[in-house]
Amino acid sequence: GSYTSPTLAWYRSSAAHNAPMVNGHDQGAARGALLAHDERDGMGWVQAEFFDPFSAVRFVRSVVVMNDHIVDELQWTSDEPVTVDLPMQAKILTTTLDPWTAFDPTVDAHGMLSHAMMTPLLAETLTSMTLLGLPSPAQRGGLRSAQIYECAMMSSTSALLWRADTLGPPAGDLHGMLSLRQSGVHGRSVRVFSACGDIASVTCAGAAVQVRNVAGGMFQHARTERGWTIAVDGIAGRNVIELAGAREHQPILRAPAVITPRDVRALPRGASYRVECADAAYRITEESWVESGEPTSVVSVLHTQSERIDITVAVSLNRAPHFAPVNEPNPLDNELADVNSDGVQLHWSSAVTGNWNSALAVPDGSTVRLTNVAGTLDGLAANWSPAEHGFNVTFSLPWPASLPQFSMDLCVNEQPAARERRRGQLVLSGARGESAYLRGARQSNAHALHFDLSPDLL
């Protein structure tokens, strides 16, 4: 696919992959952990866990590979009620499910979906369907034709299954996807995949999954405290395979978005917090911080006496600032054109929705060109003023007194006039050795600064 194509946004979304997402939002960037892996007698498994940094939902996924079928189990838990989607990049050819009704998936990548339909699923009820999968057009050798699979699916709770038309692999044809959607504070789902004609039946009873193949073999799957057990019944009798391979690992901490006492900075009404950003905060592209002229910024966060938070960014570039004019669409790539300009990105946890909001600000004449990148602006306003060898931007964000916590991050984009693309970024939470390439106007909340606004701290 082309890097400059708008479809790139679809291919990097969670909905375009076979991985879970929470409340319709793309997964946040965070490390997962491999819990176990083992392979014996032609059978293998892998188990991993992941905490979504946006929602703090914990996922544990187990995949067991056999000669003629695959078992895929996903379990998740949450402290608050959430909606969890598990997409699959496949098109439903046949299913006994009926009826299907029009549906709005409300996911981040909904602009790339069409003809969405849904149908309800009963708890602990096995659903069978035939799926069409497409290989990548870039695949070399081997089977290049579309593949047809059988899938048996079970949800531990009442759920819904939705499907939609969307893009197939890059440079390929239009295709379809489907997604299992569960809601609540916990859930489990199981999928059994096989080539057409290989499996005679699949049953699920509690934690056990039983698969019978056409040759008469019976496979009883069960997850245990030690790993995954497969009891194989065949002509030669019963053989029990214990897949273990548990790894020692440090438990994954709760998602960085969850505020803990050691993370919180006190910011009572009338107080301010000040951070200087220099070398350690600079995300580079090609040139180092020194080669880029040693840009710096000073960020001040003020909890005002009125219901508002003011954030002032004093930027020193050691050169004249360069503010790009309005340029839509961006001819260079599929990012917002304003990332390729001197300017400021503000990211915060919304007081209205609780989601991670992002806004991009570029001085434009006597005003500030303020673009909503993700979430909502929540009444955000901005103004700017020139400074010697730089500029100042002040954001004003309404913040109700009833909400005692505030989380934010901020990036200063740096681009001299001689360049077409951004040279680097000063990141409030620190660069951490990262590159500014391909980041666009995105910044996760993985290292956000958290403030306690409680008035009793005065």
Side-chain angles (χ1 to χ4, degrees):
S2 170
Y3 176 74
T4 60
S5 170
T7 60
L8 183 61
W10 163 252
Y11 291 119
R12 70 172 168 234
S13 72
S14 293
H17 294 78
N18 304 313
M21 55 184 177
V22 181
N23 295 332
H25 297 303
D26 290 339
Q27 280 188 10
R31 294 180 182 272
L34 177 62
L35 300 182
H37 66 103
D38 196 9
E39 188 171 350
R40 301 183 187 184
D41 299 333
M43 308 173 191
W45 89 310
V46 61
Q47 186 180 69
E49 69 175 339
F50 175 72
F51 278 97
D52 178 56
F54 291 164
S55 62
V57 175
R58 177 180 183 262
F59 294 97
V60 175
R61 195 165 190 176
S62 305
V63 177
V64 183
V65 180
M66 310 290 289
N67 285 330
D68 54 13
H69 65 276
I70 293 173
V71 179
D72 173 19
E73 179 194 67
L74 178 71
Q75 292 185 303
W76 57 270
T77 57
S78 172
D79 291 339
E80 302 292 336
V82 294
T83 296
V84 170
D85 270 296
L86 182 59
M88 291 194 291
Q89 305 311 305
K91 182 178 182 179
I92 296 179
L93 295 181
T94 63
T95 178
T96 57
L97 293 171
D98 193 62
W100 292 81
T101 57
F103 178 63
D104 182 3
T106 61
V107 297
D108 283 348
H110 69 275
M112 290 294 178
L113 304 175
S114 62
H115 304 103
M117 307 285 285
M118 63 78 67
T119 190
L121 296 181
L122 298 177
E124 303 287 349
T125 300
L126 201 67
T127 299
S128 298
M129 62 193 76
T130 304
L131 303 178
L132 175 68
L134 287 179
S136 168
Q139 182 177 344
R140 295 179 179 272
L143 295 174
R144 295 292 302 276
S145 60
Q147 301 296 300
I148 299 177
Y149 304 93
E150 298 288 351
C151 175
M153 179 186 300
M154 187 278 298
S155 170
S156 63
T157 61
S158 297
L160 62 87
L161 186 70
W162 62 270
R163 65 185 185 185
D165 295 333
T166 186
L167 302 178
D173 298 325
L174 294 177
H175 197 40
M177 64 163 288
L178 66 152
S179 182
L180 174 67
R181 175 167 292 186
Q182 299 174 307
S183 299
V185 295
H186 61 83
R188 172 179 176 259
S189 61
V190 175
R191 286 146 298 280
V192 178
F193 298 98
S194 63
C196 287
D198 285 352
I199 300 302
S201 66
V202 178
T203 57
C204 291
V209 179
Q210 182 175 282
V211 180
R212 182 188 298 274
N213 63 19
V214 293
M218 180 74 76
F219 306 88
Q220 187 85 14
H221 295 266
R223 190 164 53 83
T224 66
E225 291 185 0
R226 296 183 55 191
W228 193 279
T229 297
I230 307 165
V232 182
D233 293 313
I235 298 175
R238 167 164 284 208
N239 182 25
V240 178
I241 307 297
E242 294 280 353
L243 296 176
R247 298 181 70 247
E248 292 185 4
H249 74 289
Q250 294 296 322
I252 297 179
L253 299 177
R254 291 186 62 85
V258 177
I259 299 175
T260 57
R262 66 178 180 278
D263 297 326
V264 179
R265 297 156 176 85
L267 193 68
R269 189 170 296 134
S272 63
Y273 182 84
R274 184 176 182 272
V275 181
E276 297 184 14
C277 302
D279 190 2
Y282 192 67
R283 281 186 184 142
I284 68 170
T285 53
E286 303 93 356
E287 300 175 3
S288 69
W289 178 71
V290 173
E291 293 169 332
S292 299
E294 301 183 359
T296 61
S297 65
V298 176
V299 180
S300 299
V301 183
L302 172 64
H303 183 193
T304 69
Q305 295 292 346
S306 56
E307 294 189 348
R308 196 178 74 250
I309 295 174
D310 289 347
I311 302 162
T312 300
V313 190
V315 181
S316 177
L317 300 168
N318 296 315
R319 59 169 173 82
H322 168 65
F323 305 126
V326 175
N327 187 11
E328 291 290 349
N330 181 4
L332 299 177
D333 49 46
N334 73 337
E335 305 292 358
L336 292 170
D338 279 351
V339 301
N340 297 316
S341 172
D342 289 333
V344 181
Q345 296 171 201
L346 179 64
H347 311 271
W348 73 99
S349 183
S350 170
V352 178
T353 66
N355 296 331
W356 189 240
N357 288 348
S358 297
L360 179 57
V362 173
D364 186 0
S366 60
T367 63
V368 173
R369 195 163 62 244
L370 197 59
T371 304
N372 179 22
V373 177
T376 57
L377 288 179
D378 293 354
L380 180 72
N383 60 70
W384 82 284
S385 62
E388 186 177 6
H389 307 305
F391 63 97
N392 304 319
V393 172
T394 297
F395 297 96
S396 183
L397 180 66
W399 198 264
S402 59
L403 291 181
Q405 293 176 333
F406 174 64
S407 301
M408 64 162 289
D409 207 343
L410 184 145
C411 304
V412 175
N413 293 323
E414 188 265 321
Q415 182 194 322
R419 289 179 60 94
E420 286 188 316
R421 285 189 171 92
R422 175 176 59 193
R423 180 163 62 182
Q425 290 180 301
L426 289 163
V427 184
L428 177 62
S429 59
R432 305 174 189 276
E434 299 167 337
S435 169
Y437 271 126
L438 304 181
R439 289 187 176 272
R442 294 175 295 279
Q443 173 71 6
S444 81
N445 63 352
H447 303 290
L449 276 67
H450 305 297
F451 299 95
D452 190 330
L453 311 178
S454 302
D456 58 2
L457 293 176
L458 286 172

